[in-house]
Amino acid sequence: MDYSYAPGRNHLFVPGPVNIPEQVTRAMNRNNEDYRSPAVPAMTKTLLEDVKKIFKTTIGTPFMFPTTGTGAWESALTNTLSPGDRTVSFLLGQFSLLWIDQQQRLKFNVDVVESEWGQGANLEILASKLAADTDHTIKAVCIVHNETATGVTNNLAAVRDILDHYKHPALFLVDGVSSICALDFRMDEWGIDVALTGSQKALSLPTGMGIVCASPKALEASKTAKSVRVFFDWNDYLKFYKIGTYWPYTPSIQLLYGLRAALDLIFEEGLDNVIARHTRLAKATRLAVEAWGLKNCTQKEEWFSDTVTAVVVPPYIDSAEIVRRGWKRYNLSLGLGLNKVAGKVFRIGHLGNLNELQLLGCLAGVEMILKDVGYPVKLGIGVAAASAFLQNTIPMIPSRI
Amino acid sequence: MDYSYAPGRNHLFVPGPVNIPEQVTRAMNRNNEDYRSPAVPAMTKTLLEDVKKIFKTTIGTPFMFPTTGTGAWESALTNTLSPGDRTVSFLLGQFSLLWIDQQQRLKFNVDVVESEWGQGANLEILASKLAADTDHTIKAVCIVHNETATGVTNNLAAVRDILDHYKHPALFLVDGVSSICALDFRMDEWGIDVALTGSQKALSLPTGMGIVCASPKALEASKTAKSVRVFFDWNDYLKFYKIGTYWPYTPSIQLLYGLRAALDLIFEEGLDNVIARHTRLAKATRLAVEAWGLKNCTQKEEWFSDTVTAVVVPPYIDSAEIVRRGWKRYNLSLGLGLNKVAGKVFRIGHLGNLNELQLLGCLAGVEMILKDVGYPVKLGIGVAAASAFLQNTIPMIPSRI
Amino acid sequence: MDYSYAPGRNHLFVPGPVNIPEQVTRAMNRNNEDYRSPAVPAMTKTLLEDVKKIFKTTIGTPFMFPTTGTGAWESALTNTLSPGDRTVSFLLGQFSLLWIDQQQRLKFNVDVVESEWGQGANLEILASKLAADTDHTIKAVCIVHNETATGVTNNLAAVRDILDHYKHPALFLVDGVSSICALDFRMDEWGIDVALTGSQKALSLPTGMGIVCASPKALEASKTAKSVRVFFDWNDYLKFYKIGTYWPYTPSIQLLYGLRAALDLIFEEGLDNVIARHTRLAKATRLAVEAWGLKNCTQKEEWFSDTVTAVVVPPYIDSAEIVRRGWKRYNLSLGLGLNKVAGKVFRIGHLGNLNELQLLGCLAGVEMILKDVGYPVKLGIGVAAASAFLQNTIPMIPSRI
Amino acid sequence: MDYSYAPGRNHLFVPGPVNIPEQVTRAMNRNNEDYRSPAVPAMTKTLLEDVKKIFKTTIGTPFMFPTTGTGAWESALTNTLSPGDRTVSFLLGQFSLLWIDQQQRLKFNVDVVESEWGQGANLEILASKLAADTDHTIKAVCIVHNETATGVTNNLAAVRDILDHYKHPALFLVDGVSSICALDFRMDEWGIDVALTGSQKALSLPTGMGIVCASPKALEASKTAKSVRVFFDWNDYLKFYKIGTYWPYTPSIQLLYGLRAALDLIFEEGLDNVIARHTRLAKATRLAVEAWGLKNCTQKEEWFSDTVTAVVVPPYIDSAEIVRRGWKRYNLSLGLGLNKVAGKVFRIGHLGNLNELQLLGCLAGVEMILKDVGYPVKLGIGVAAASAFLQNTIPMIPSRI
């Protein structure tokens, strides 16, 4: 009856889409509604207010596009920039690569700052470019907060400091797809002009909503940006915000209710606790990787990602075989190595609505797979390392004390 | 617990989003999955094959974008045309207006052929334009098959005949948002180059999937079309079709399973039976409107839409009050009059997974509302007219005979 | 894919099981839980408190059995009576018949007071029996509040008055299966000793919970009742109530959450408004029946049921054919005539989470069916009669004003 | 919003209710239906046929009661026995104790054969009793196949051998609540007369269906059995089986569809593979327990249960604290020690729709809890032992090879 049925739960540890909590699945289990009724704008209004909290912004304006992260990127760029505009953009993995490709295809003049895959954005080069750019030809600095392909998190506060240091007016555009709601993210404090995420990542919803949040400066830029845009145009949304109907075209009713439930869960846990949970799960994962004698693809601790860990396998092992085996034998979904690191790394996503025992089940599975593919791991050693840390750090569940 | 709760079912009769059948809701009630596992491409492959059937095409190539109808429009245009290209586009209601607005903002040279709202596309003007265009400056003819705002269905076969008559090579781009899966639609036979629809219309899914289908000629055009596009670019999809992974970015797993269920229901009923059901429900609606002594906004029978009926109210009544009252008293959702016909018409959507008794409940509700707002209707008269027709024409349910 | 698929919603108008509101379906859409965790007793405690409100009791003790109405009957009887005990029990239709059959098989000495089907309980005979019973051999008066087979509602206040008049100590046991949460029901005021209902009736849940509520006098009787019982024994529940874990065996977690949602909806609407809605829908139904020229199986207005209407068909028509045709042509589920009235009546259930336009759709369907089977009805006439009444009486939806 | 919310999945490892697979949740996500329509009997018919397969019977007659295991017990007993009948019944834990209590309250003359908790049924005593019972005063031998409280599985084939050896005609009644669909169970081969299970156990459904299966001999016995019964009476069912409508009272539509899905999953995996999976998970659990240096409550290997493991804790630890801590800190639900073993054992349920990585997550959790409560366990050691076994034995997933 199901051409890929396997007993028990699928263990979903790709770095997105992530597990949807039952509360969200329930909230979305509904018929369509007329989005022009008074109910939908009323709900939308509170969602727009609440969504700002996950960006840590009070001055930003959010847009909830029926699209994916790729569309959210496009919205961020086309609303703030004009063809030919110079952007500085950091290339450090598959997703930053794709964003740069998009920037180029959207006809911007992309000044690519490349790092070795596994390293973070080279901010020294950014500094030198900004220093040299006294004419302010750089219109935007584009950075992926968390490069999902390599498990590298960039230091956004440092980017802001450099911009400030050179008093450079460039817009600060941030892909927060695999960071927002999971890593520390402070849109206002860090002076981010456009931040964006996708529903299927740390928000733990189905795919289909790209949330873009614009600073007042970004909104101002949108008035003169010449990039052609219609579907992704903020201005259409702003018009409907003013009227109070909110939607220039049909939203997914189900995703709106799902977002309501997802935000309620995040607020109930507390955003800071959510972030602390991600820190904890990530640390546990890295301890297991270390115990297995494997290397983290991320080269320095300062860049370690708390939402995804890319694990480097020895040269005699094909990391794709690890992922395949997870699927075929253990009902475990791991992330493939992409592009330059294909075959060399596999990825463990540890973001979204996830807890420690789920992670430990995954780590136990990875150990068995490693053994399956001929890597001489001592079974249990990674779980032991992760457990030792977790047993000391997991807090009591507040609602159950 | 619910700030707009009312007992019983909501009677959803806007012309989209429409009622989702339980089978589809069930199919979508699921956790996320890794879309890079072998299961998702395998399902996608069969979906792409099956989706062609609702367009009645064997030579077309479908794309299932995580977007809405507005995004599907943008995909149709930007993949086939270049800025400055001349299009002939018919303006006959709010949705054709919005599409024209999009065409203009995408920098095409739009040759607008306007009709009075309530009339169909003026094909004589098309003929004269094509006749005059011996240089083939017209690159595309853009037409909304079914204008949802006025309940007008255009004759696509006639458009094709005119194009053929003048041997004009212009692309034939069709918005089938409120027609495909409900009205007779023959992509191949009518030589349509791009046809598109949205999931929340006759497919009876949630919003979030825009399906665009391209003829070989349209695919050819996409190779030279200069419009800037990334998210909506067919070429990215085609690359992944070739590799067999199908998705350049993350699809909604839930919508894929939902589409599978929706297509299964359509095929079980039989597409021709689905269309016949729409014809039947529409005819019944028009008979009720006539019995109420009200006018159809659509001025001639040849344009009558079988998916939505726009009903003209007398000048002393505000049609928006009818819609409001449906919501506030009867848990009935009717369509507002939009733009030029705001306050003058209300709309009854009768598309998607809907049956006769649901429609009769709606018509009974409309009668009571009409009385509420001071229109001197004899209660029951519209239902009687509709029933008289339906009782003669409803077929037995094949699975239950 | 579905061996009885038909497009659109099923129109469910049997007098139970009834339509489940989406809010309840959602609440039940969940995994199992450990019912011994602190969460389940906490929820159970509030449910037991709230469930008393639908019985209008403050002194009663409710029991939520994982069973059906038949099991609830058995629980009511076996906990309060001993084999050989004399009961007075009214026979007026299929469900009172079945209850009497159960009483006999449970070895009670049942004093049956029979009425013609279509009439209410003969309370004069009750009075005479009580008058004669100076020895108090009658241990219980058993009455079905609303006989679902014939659409007859008995006057419980009158029963209490008679009992009081004769100062008779007999227990007063009431089947409220198709009345509680729909008809006026006052357990304390009417001195009812055991009242019971089933989840799939006016509570609008799935089948599977039989709720039995016992007065202090009934609890007292349970201490000496000699009927053999285990599964249905109140005492096991009372023991666990005391401990605070509430469940002597495993409850359905899903039904508990469903009940929570169902009660929330009822309280949001207001129990009195729920009852008024049932009165309104029933009156509308009876007006339609009258307009069709058909007779109500219920012979006097004082017995008219506000949850189900049994409609008598002319002798030349088989009412079972009406029900079959509803199913096979209109996706309409009507109630069969049972036992003595098989072939002679069909039943329209109008209870639970239902609104006026749903009912009018059903009535329109019945008209067409009547015509199908050769009854000379003027289509629309019943809907007109119902609408005329409803249009004057439907209140605005409070949450939407 | 949820008074016991915790992030991530609940790890449900009580020995029932167990995890419901998504396929079953989906199948149950539906409105009520008229159970008197032709669709429900058609489905019931195939369910009754298919349900026999999980009992491994071709000659048995199954009954699907809307009840729990406790009700299924009552049905088994009251349909086959008369008050005063002598039964031999084995007491070896909380559930056999409760069944015996029920037998006594139902007025049977129960000949209790008690074992120490942690031991299996004493079959030698059974043999001697049967040997002595030349008058055949023993009417039934009642045995719990798998005592959930202590994790003891009894040898049913041996019971049959003893009965055969003495040519004793006693009925052989078996509680298979925590065994059927998980342990090897052969109703026909072992000459079982009544076998029963509950939906929330290895079938992985919600609570609410008690399935009882009767041999021809049991059916014969039901004709003369004098125990009072109505709700649980097989005869009512048999009458409706004959008519072809199947239900003497309202079934839960949702559970029927759920059972359909559950059986489909079991048949897709293959019942023997399902049983092998349980054997594998149980063995892994016991290896972990051993590695932790803890004792299995089950005293001999021949009695080891493959659906639940009761773990004995050292005297200085309160096992209830382990369960509490699982709930309060790790979102892990373990089984309490009950009655005689309260405080002394905690239980790990490993039955139903469950896979290896889920179990390993649980075992990792137990290790941390053990450390939390002061037991000197080396973290990872149990997981290592379990993994070493599992990595050698887990088969590839057939649908994914």
Side-chain angles (χ1 to χ4, degrees), chain A residues 9 22 25-27 29-31, chain C residues 9 22 25-27 29-31:
Chain A
R9 301 268 177 235
E22 257 200 3
T25 306
R26 269 199 293 281
N29 184 41
R30 63 174 64 233
N31 194 13
Chain C
R9 301 271 177 232
E22 257 199 7
T25 306
R26 267 199 294 281
N29 184 42
R30 64 175 64 232
N31 195 12

Side-chain angles (χ1 to χ4, degrees), chain A residues 62-75:
Chain A
F63 304 97
M64 304 185 293
F65 284 95
T67 188
T68 70
T70 303
W73 279 348
E74 192 157 328
S75 182

Side-chain angles (χ1 to χ4, degrees), chain A residues 46-96:
Chain A
T46 66
L47 285 174
L48 287 170
E49 273 317 302
D50 283 346
V51 123
K52 290 201 257 179
K53 297 174 191 166
I54 62 170
F55 288 91
K56 290 208 176 144
T57 183
T58 58
I59 60 172
T61 300
F63 304 97
M64 304 185 293
F65 284 95
T67 188
T68 70
T70 303
W73 279 348
E74 192 157 328
S75 182
L77 297 166
T78 56
N79 280 281
T80 53
L81 299 171
S82 302
D85 274 0
R86 182 180 171 200
T87 65
V88 173
S89 212
F90 298 91
L91 167 48
L92 29 126
Q94 179 63 7
F95 294 93
S96 41

